[in-house]
Amino acid sequence: MKKINSALYIRFCAYAFLLIIVPACVTRQPVVQQRVAPVPGSYSGRADSSSLGSLSREQFFRDTVLLGLIDTAIKNNLMLKTTVEKIMIARAHLLAQKGLRLPSLDGFVSGAVDKYGKYTMSGVGNFDTNLSQNITEDQKVTDPARDFFLGLKSSWEIDLWGKLKAKKRSAYNALLASEKGRRWVTTQLVTQVASYYYELLALDNRLEIIRRNIKLQERAVEIVEAQMEGGRANALAVQQFNAHLIHTRSLEQETRLAIIELENEMNMLLGRFAQTPVPRGLPIRQQQMPPVITSGIPADL
């Protein structure tokens, strides 16, 4: 039994030696990376429209009336004017920070007149000084004492620790932020004006449909009333048709109120007092749409 155990022990040690030593002596092959397949610039032969920012307003919007409203908003919008003023402030601050690194030359002109009391220390001292035999006539203290100065003063601060450079960089970044803010406000303004404009066109189309329905329902009420007089309909049918007519007329008033509210908001964006109606171009069903909608255009657009 002991011989069997010793033989198994020797065999186990030999296997362990082979498992440790043999893999260490084997050289590994270098890892070969596969080549990345080239990605085409466009698919199906159509250019991608994801970069809508490269298009001008005249290329994106085809309605001349809408373009006129957008130009008016960019010119008169109060928020955009405030942003432009902030840009001017940032530019002035940047110029001031640039000037701090240059030598400065200042001119000074000053004048002062002092009247000393006779019974004060200064007055008595000046009186005794003027009686001294050791001073000339030009050295005597005048009564009152006059002090005038006219000269130039120059200074230059050496940017030893980078303080002025950091201030200049901060002012430059503030100017860039204000410029980007102006572009963002302009983009949001154009988007809001275009959204309100097309919503107005949609409400106009809805109002036209409602008014056509009102005419049809009025004709239907007349027919039902004539049928009731002839005994072919009852009063309940007339009341039902009148109820539908009243409901449709209420929809007409709601749509008109929605149009007025939207026009007021549009006038606020345009930076002017309420002027109704806001001019429109072609109806919404006659607006020019892109012939092919490629990827990159939002679904809600």
Side-chain angles (χ1 to χ4, degrees):
M1 189 69 181
K2 291 181 179 180
K3 291 181 179 180
I4 294 174
N5 293 336
S6 60
L8 292 175
Y9 179 74
I10 293 171
R11 189 175 298 174
F12 175 76
C13 292
Y15 286 154
F17 178 78
L18 293 174
L19 291 174
I20 295 174
I21 299 300
V22 173
C25 298
V26 177
T27 59
R28 297 183 178 273
Q29 296 293 331
V31 179
V32 179
Q33 296 183 355
Q34 298 180 359
R35 295 183 59 185
V36 179
V39 179
S42 60
Y43 298 92
S44 301
R46 296 179 180 178
D48 189 7
S49 63
S50 57
S51 58
L52 295 177
S54 60
L55 300 178
S56 62
R57 293 193 297 270
E58 290 75 12
Q59 294 175 341
F60 191 77
F61 299 111
R62 304 299 179 85
D63 195 330
T64 56
V65 178
L66 174 58
L67 292 174
L69 293 175
I70 291 175
D71 293 337
T72 303
I74 294 176
K75 181 180 179 181
N76 299 330
N77 186 262
L78 298 179
M79 184 178 297
L80 189 58
K81 286 185 176 180
T82 303
T83 307
V84 172
E85 292 298 327
K86 290 181 179 179
I87 293 175
M88 301 301 295
I89 294 174
R91 287 179 178 175
H93 186 60
L94 178 61
L95 291 177
Q97 295 301 325
K98 287 182 178 179
L100 291 178
R101 304 185 66 180
L102 301 175
S104 62
L105 182 63
D106 301 325
F108 290 92
V109 177
S110 63
V113 177
D114 292 333
K115 177 67 177 178
Y116 300 102
K118 295 183 178 181
Y119 301 102
T120 62
M121 184 178 296
S122 298
V124 174
N126 293 336
F127 179 77
D128 292 340
T129 301
N130 291 338
L131 296 178
S132 175
Q133 301 296 328
N134 297 324
I135 63 175
T136 62
E137 190 69 23
D138 296 336
Q139 293 176 332
K140 290 184 179 182
V141 180
T142 60
D143 187 19
R146 300 177 180 88
D147 184 12
F148 299 101
F149 176 78
L150 174 62
L152 301 175
K153 181 179 179 182
S154 178
S155 63
W156 183 30
E157 181 178 358
I158 300 176
D159 194 10
L160 185 61
W161 307 108
K163 179 185 70 173
L164 300 179
K165 185 178 180 181
K167 287 184 176 180
K168 178 184 175 183
R169 188 185 305 113
S170 176
Y172 179 70
N173 292 332
L175 177 60
L176 292 182
S178 59
E179 289 282 357
K180 294 297 182 181
R182 181 187 63 83
R183 294 182 182 179
W184 181 83
V185 172
T186 303
T187 303
Q188 295 297 318
L189 181 62
V190 172
T191 303
Q192 199 67 31
V193 170
S195 177
Y196 283 170
Y197 180 78
Y198 288 118
E199 190 171 351
L200 280 174
L201 293 182
L203 289 175
D204 291 340
N205 185 66
R206 178 186 178 186
L207 184 61
E208 182 182 356
I209 295 173
I210 289 175
R211 287 174 176 174
R212 287 204 304 262
N213 288 336
I214 289 176
K215 292 181 180 179
L216 294 176
Q217 291 178 0
E218 288 176 349
R219 180 59 179 167
V221 169
E222 293 176 359
I223 294 174
V224 173
E225 288 178 349
Q227 290 179 349
M228 185 183 67
E229 292 178 359
R232 300 184 60 182
N234 53 18
L236 180 59
V238 176
Q239 293 176 0
Q240 289 179 347
F241 276 87
N242 282 321
H244 287 298
L245 178 59
I246 293 173
H247 176 68
T248 307
R249 287 176 177 173
S250 66
L251 292 179
E252 179 187 11
Q253 298 301 322
E254 292 178 1
T255 306
R256 290 180 59 190
L257 288 177
I259 290 175
I260 294 174
E261 291 177 359
L262 202 57
E263 286 178 339
N264 290 335
E265 294 180 3
M266 175 76 82
N267 288 318
M268 183 182 66
L269 291 179
L270 299 179
R272 64 187 185 184
F273 293 104
Q275 299 178 12
T276 55
V278 173
R280 274 88 144 170
L282 295 175
I284 192 170
R285 295 181 179 272
Q286 301 178 13
Q287 290 289 326
Q288 296 182 5
M289 298 298 174
V292 178
I293 299 178
T294 55
S295 59
I297 297 180
D300 55 354
L301 182 62

